[in-house]
Amino acid sequence: MEKSLPEKLEASTVEHEEHSPPDLKQSSLTGDNEHEHSLTLADVYRNHKAIIGWSFYWAMCAIGWGFDAQINGAVISIASFRRDFGYVADGVAILPASWQSAFNVCSSVGQFFGGFLCSWVADRIGRRASLLCGVIICTGGIFGEIFSASRGAFLASKIILGFGLGFYLTLGPLMCSELSPVVLRGLSTAGLNLGISIGQLLSNAVIKGFGDRVDKWAYAGPFCVQLFFTLFLLVGLPFSPESPWYLVRANNPEEAKKSLQRLWGKGFDVTPKLAAIHQSVEEAAQQGEASFVDCFRGTNLLRTSISTGIFACQHLAGIIFVLGYSTYFFELAGLDVSHAFSLGIGVTACGVLGNFVSWFVVNSYGRRWVFVLGMATLTVLLLLIGIMDVIPTNGASWVQASCTVVYAFIYFMTIGAMAFVLLGEVPTSTLRARTAALATATQSVCGITMNVIMPYMVNPDQANMKGKVGFVFGGLAFLGTLWSFIYVPELKGRTFAEIDTLFINRVPPRKMGSYQIN
């Protein structure tokens, strides 16, 4: 007869203890909590390098998403793309605003549905098999982009690619949070933002490299580069350990133990960690089988609101406007094409630098105030971009460009990185995949909304607002700042069990950092 999960866990624990010296035996929960709080980054680097390596691998899922998000706006600056998919008026190639909106929206539509499917697949066949599905789907979408000869075929390819990217954006924070100890969790999940910024930097770099061409490969070439990201993930996938949290929920503690052993090293006693995961899963399972409806019940409603709200704040702060349209915006502001391309690369390079700085910030200053102050600073920068657009001076365009560069640094150092950190920490264990899917859906819905309205706001044949768009997003960012002050919690140094306690006790998010748990 098939053993139950508790029976399998007990058998695994007894077998381990028979081969372990007495001083390695310790209380499961207390021992694991004490170890998590005493562990330092130096300890992880010296003794558990596999955790760092595999956290980095899963964080790199975000490269493909960042590349696609950036190229949507950057490819519009390529004349041959506007010519092949748009029309020429008075010698200038122009993309119709309706087609531009459809082009930008398609990927987000795919991500919306891809995230939900991924959450279902990841809880049934595992995280590794789900990533394989995502890689295959993305590869098909990329080939479609490269060889599409019509608008319809190109849009269909963008939807397919977005579907696969929904898998990437759901699995990345999910695996980084489930593989990492407390001391590494912030850096690991913030690494997802590094992947996004690297993808955006590479996107602008290849656009600049191919942008001078006058044939199809001026834009098809950059799409080809996306295949390298799928190859990287595909090569590493067979060697990656499965999530021990998934394996315990799948009633397979023996494989969960092997996965933990691969991560922590052969000489490390993983029994307390296995028992702690088991207890968390068992306690959550007592509430019944998890569903999306459960994400909106009881205290989970607050956890879901925080997990999705932080990503909505990114769009309220104008991420699509400032980063997605940076190169095109620079051209509309009056800078020549060469300077526009160079500044576009500079913007994303500052984003990469900001993400590196976030690694030092997240463990030193936590999550809450970094996020709130980041929102406030971005609000000021957006308003300054708007003000510069109504001041008739020759240097106004360069001030706007400088604000955009600073914006990229602040964004990736603060709300860009902290959103993924909080997504890895806030959800309860059984709803983690579903909450990640809802966060991906939030990204997609906000992306769809912004990508529909942006062409009409900035295109010369429409509202032609140029930098005045900064006033619109400055006001929205101010509202996001108020929301984040109330709802963004401080979870630095908390184990998953402690985070559960904070929400069960209904501690207000703004007070979680100072709340004492007995």
Side-chain angles (χ1 to χ4, degrees):
M1 181 181 294
E2 178 71 14
K3 292 181 179 179
S4 67
L5 178 57
E7 289 171 338
K8 286 186 176 184
L9 179 72
E10 182 178 359
S12 175
T13 303
V14 170
E15 179 185 355
H16 177 84
E17 290 184 348
E18 287 176 352
H19 297 85
S20 302
D23 60 343
L24 289 181
K25 299 175 183 178
Q26 50 187 311
S27 171
S28 61
L29 293 179
T30 303
D32 184 55
N33 274 339
E34 290 177 352
H35 177 259
E36 288 277 340
H37 286 301
S38 64
L39 195 66
T40 65
L41 285 174
D43 293 332
V44 176
Y45 178 76
R46 284 195 301 265
N47 305 315
H48 313 293
K49 292 184 176 66
I51 297 177
I52 298 176
W54 288 117
S55 295
F56 174 81
Y57 168 81
W58 284 93
M60 290 304 100
C61 287
I63 289 183
W65 189 90
F67 190 98
D68 183 75
Q70 186 72 9
I71 207 170
N72 283 347
V75 77
I76 297 171
S77 63
I78 297 177
S80 60
F81 182 82
R82 299 197 299 267
R83 178 198 65 213
D84 292 350
F85 292 101
Y87 62 92
V88 178
D90 298 327
V92 179
I94 298 176
L95 277 178
S98 58
W99 152 244
Q100 197 177 135
S101 295
F103 163 67
N104 289 333
V105 161
C106 277
S107 182
S108 296
V109 171
Q111 289 172 39
F112 179 87
F113 293 104
F116 283 115
L117 178 63
C118 178
S119 70
W120 183 84
V121 172
D123 279 344
R124 279 158 181 77
I125 66 174
R127 283 47 165 150
R128 294 169 72 246
S130 298
L131 181 59
L132 178 60
C133 294
V135 168
I136 293 172
I137 295 170
C138 281
T139 302
I142 292 168
F143 276 114
E145 283 184 323
I146 296 170
F147 297 108
S148 292
S150 66
R151 290 183 182 180
F154 190 86
L155 293 180
S157 300
K158 289 293 292 182
I159 292 177
I160 294 172
L161 176 60
F163 211 89
L165 293 175
F167 275 67
Y168 287 1
L169 203 60
T170 301
L171 290 169
L174 183 61
M175 280 296 282
C176 285
S177 62
E178 293 185 339
L179 296 182
S180 303
V182 171
V183 69
L184 186 64
R185 195 171 61 216
L187 299 180
S188 174
T189 47
L192 288 154
N193 204 51
L194 174 63
I196 291 176
S197 60
I198 290 175
Q200 292 176 328
L201 176 61
L202 291 175
S203 174
N204 274 339
V206 297
I207 285 291
K208 181 174 175 60
F210 284 89
D212 291 335
R213 299 179 64 98
V214 295
D215 58 2
K216 171 183 177 178
W217 291 100
Y219 56 88
F223 294 143
C224 286
V225 174
Q226 294 178 95
L227 292 171
F228 288 102
F229 311 145
T230 63
L231 182 62
F232 170 82
L233 294 173
L234 192 61
V235 168
L237 187 56
F239 308 99
S240 173
E242 181 58 271
S243 164
W245 288 82
Y246 162 74
L247 291 169
V248 169
R249 280 195 294 271
N251 201 30
N252 198 346
E254 290 87 356
E255 289 300 317
K257 181 179 176 181
K258 291 179 182 178
S259 178
L260 286 168
Q261 211 72 67
R262 286 188 60 191
L263 290 166
W264 290 89
K266 293 183 178 180
F268 186 84
D269 180 8
V270 298
T271 306
K273 295 191 174 297
L274 181 61
I277 293 174
H278 163 70
Q279 178 159 330
S280 294
V281 170
E282 284 292 300
E283 289 177 350
Q286 291 174 4
Q287 303 175 9
E289 186 175 350
S291 68
F292 278 106
V293 175
D294 293 319
C295 293
F296 302 96
R297 289 175 174 164
T299 58
N300 288 327
L301 174 59
L302 176 60
R303 300 173 88 148
T304 301
S305 299
I306 295 171
S307 299
T308 56
I310 51 181
F311 286 97
C313 281
Q314 294 182 345
H315 288 277
L316 293 178
I319 180 63
I320 296 293
F321 162 60
V322 179
L323 297 185
Y325 278 77
S326 58
T327 302
Y328 190 45
F329 170 67
F330 292 148
E331 290 184 14
L332 293 178
L335 302 178
D336 61 57
V337 175
S338 177
H339 285 152
F341 277 131
S342 298
L343 278 171
I345 295 175
V347 167
T348 48
C350 282
V352 174
L353 177 61
N355 198 85
F356 279 122
V357 174
S358 75
W359 289 357
F360 298 94
V361 170
V362 66
N363 277 356
S364 299
Y365 300 100
R367 290 76 163 127
R368 172 175 166 75
W369 284 111
V370 173
F371 193 98
V372 174
L373 292 177
M375 283 295 299
T377 304
L378 296 179
T379 300
V380 173
L381 289 171
L382 287 164
L383 293 175
L384 187 57
I385 289 174
I387 292 171
M388 287 298 103
D389 204 68
V390 297
I391 296 179
T393 61
N394 293 330
S397 296
W398 285 103
V399 174
Q400 287 178 322
S402 300
C403 287
T404 304
V405 173
V406 175
Y407 177 105
F409 178 81
I410 298 297
Y411 173 87
F412 281 98
M413 184 181 68
T414 58
I415 70 172
M418 296 309 129
F420 286 103
V421 175
L422 289 164
L423 179 59
E425 295 176 332
V426 171
T428 187
S429 62
T430 54
L431 296 173
R432 198 169 289 142
R434 288 169 173 79
T435 307
L438 289 170
T440 301
T442 301
Q443 278 271 27
S444 301
V445 170
C446 291
I448 290 170
T449 303
M450 297 303 175
N451 279 313
V452 166
I453 66 175
M454 278 303 302
Y456 292 96
M457 295 172 72
V458 302
N459 267 22
D461 61 343
Q462 298 295 326
N464 196 25
M465 293 178 66
K466 298 183 179 179
K468 298 181 184 69
V469 179
F471 288 124
V472 176
F473 287 106
L476 294 175
F478 177 74
L479 297 178
T481 302
L482 296 179
W483 178 90
S484 62
F485 178 80
I486 298 171
Y487 288 105
V488 171
E490 181 54 74
L491 302 176
K492 171 189 164 186
R494 302 287 196 183
T495 65
F496 284 128
E498 291 170 335
I499 293 172
D500 287 340
T501 300
L502 291 172
F503 282 99
I504 290 172
N505 291 348
R506 299 184 182 275
V507 179
R510 66 183 183 277
K511 296 182 179 179
M512 286 184 177
S514 58
Y515 187 81
Q516 297 296 319
I517 299 177
N518 295 324

